[in-house]
Amino acid sequence: MSSPAPEVVRLLTVKGETVAVAESLTGGLVAAEITTVPGASKVFRGSITAYATDLKHRLLGVDATLLAQRGAVDAQVAAQMAAGVRKALGADWGLATTGVAGPDPQDGQPVGTVFVAVEGPFGTGSGSAGGGKVAALRLNGNRAEIRMESVRSVLALLLERLASEHSGNERAQDTERNGGF
């Protein structure tokens, strides 16, 4: 399956929006995947690789009590990481990955337990975060496979949010600019 990164960069460019990434188990792979796309510099603000649990609190603002009670492999931790990197790096969208790639369980969670999150701008008039979503994944495979599927999954989650906000009018304008495809 091809990477969602080119389409993510394209839609962010069309919308004039930016993204920042908070990574744990992926160790910088999400940032690397985004920046392989030509033109990514227009939309990619940067990333924080907070591999150590204490950095999730210190750099991303994840609640210390939450980390102490549940550990780093948790849906709420992922959501707070995404919101924290969005704020820290001044981006429209924040992405986060946290989980267990193996070889051993962590924080009472089995290998393959992953949480990916996206946090985005407030939807117009909705009164709620238009882009906030966490996905819980149970992945199979070796360490490398789990990490790469985590990258694909968090980018797909952002793509889903971007595409749902891409109105018909914006889509028509974008099609016109790109030769009618």
Side-chain angles (χ1 to χ4, degrees):
M1 177 179 244
S2 64
S3 171
E7 186 64 5
V8 162
V9 169
R10 187 188 73 76
L11 283 176
L12 286 169
T13 302
V14 166
K15 295 166 70 64
E17 294 178 345
T18 58
V19 65
V21 182
E23 300 188 63
S24 187
L25 87 148
T26 50
L29 292 173
V30 177
E33 188 70 16
I34 292 169
T35 58
T36 62
V37 179
S41 60
K42 294 176 188 157
V43 300
F44 184 66
R45 295 280 301 154
S47 64
I48 296 173
T49 301
Y51 210 65
T53 300
D54 66 302
L55 293 180
K56 291 171 182 63
H57 170 67
R58 288 197 351 228
L59 299 178
L60 299 169
V62 176
D63 183 87
T65 304
L66 174 67
L67 288 166
Q69 291 176 347
R70 297 196 198 159
V73 182
D74 180 80
Q76 197 173 345
V77 169
Q80 288 185 18
M81 287 173 65
V85 78
R86 179 179 178 225
K87 181 180 177 186
L89 300 185
D92 296 299
W93 295 91
L95 303 180
T97 62
T98 187
V100 186
D104 300 314
Q106 178 187 332
D107 295 335
Q109 299 286 352
V111 172
T113 302
V114 175
F115 296 94
V116 296
V118 61
E119 177 66 34
F122 285 90
T124 308
S126 71
S128 65
K133 186 169 183 180
V134 177
L137 309 173
R138 182 70 181 104
L139 303 176
N140 295 312
N142 64 34
R143 182 175 173 80
E145 291 166 336
I146 290 169
R147 294 174 77 215
M148 288 313 298
E149 182 55 27
S150 299
V151 171
R152 192 205 61 76
S153 294
V154 76
L155 290 173
L157 190 63
L158 175 58
L159 183 57
E160 173 188 299
R161 299 315 254 182
L162 289 169
S164 71
E165 289 193 348
H166 203 57
S167 73
N169 186 42
E170 286 173 320
R171 197 168 293 154
Q173 289 172 0
D174 182 49
T175 300
E176 234 172 74
R177 277 192 294 262
N178 287 302
F181 291 103

